[in-house]
Amino acid sequence: MRNESCTFKSLDLNADRTELHDLLKLTGCEVSINNMAQNTQVPFFHYHKENEEVYIVLEGSGFVYADGETIKVEKGSVFRMSPSAKRCIKANENGIRFLCIQCKENSLTQFTYGDGAIDKTIEWKI
């Protein structure tokens, strides 16, 4: 790209974990793509001090531990964890691929239509 307003990179979607913070120079959130092999789990339970997390299951299935409850998740499942929720993820026999988006809780002040602006002066040049 010829300017600094956009950052484009390629990544290996099959890597165990790819964090996009450094790769894309993100300033408002962290995004990671995660691939867990069959019958594996994140090796620790954790929570956050300030950041909520949104998970989107892209492939496979497994279980999420959240504050003492175990919930089955599968392709298409989406869920949010508050910062204080103690959590962990475990893959089923077919593994699991998920996207995790992390940002400071209560920091979103505008979104979609409130933040976007339409510019009708631009046309595609392909």
Side-chain angles (χ1 to χ4, degrees):
M1 188 120 212
R2 294 185 184 104
N3 63 51
E4 295 295 318
S5 65
C6 300
T7 304
F8 289 89
K9 300 286 182 175
S10 293
L11 53 94
D12 178 3
L13 291 175
N14 294 312
D16 289 344
R17 180 176 171 87
T18 303
E19 294 178 352
L20 304 184
H21 177 261
D22 290 336
L23 185 68
L24 296 177
K25 300 179 175 111
L26 300 176
T27 63
C29 66
E30 171 63 288
V31 179
S32 64
I33 301 167
N34 303 269
N35 291 292
M36 296 176 62
Q38 64 183 20
N39 301 316
T40 61
Q41 69 181 44
V42 173
F44 51 83
F45 290 81
H46 76 286
Y47 64 94
H48 289 273
K49 297 173 187 168
E50 298 185 62
N51 294 344
E52 67 185 1
E53 291 179 324
V54 173
Y55 293 82
I56 304 166
V57 179
L58 303 172
E59 293 180 16
S61 60
F63 296 94
V64 173
Y65 173 95
D67 280 344
E69 187 176 351
T70 301
I71 301 115
K72 184 173 177 22
V73 294
E74 58 191 12
K75 181 179 179 177
S77 296
V78 296
F79 52 97
R80 174 197 173 267
M81 294 285 183
S82 69
S84 64
K86 292 175 179 68
R87 68 201 79 162
C88 194
I89 296 178
K90 181 175 184 173
N92 264 350
E93 62 278 349
N94 57 350
I96 190 169
R97 176 182 296 191
F98 61 91
L99 185 68
C100 180
I101 303 164
Q102 185 181 134
C103 60
K104 186 174 179 180
E105 187 177 45
N106 298 314
S107 65
L108 186 62
T109 59
Q110 298 185 82
F111 54 93
T112 313
Y113 298 112
D115 188 53
I118 296 172
D119 185 337
K120 294 184 179 183
T121 66
I122 302 171
E123 294 182 17
W124 281 102
K125 296 177 185 174
I126 298 177

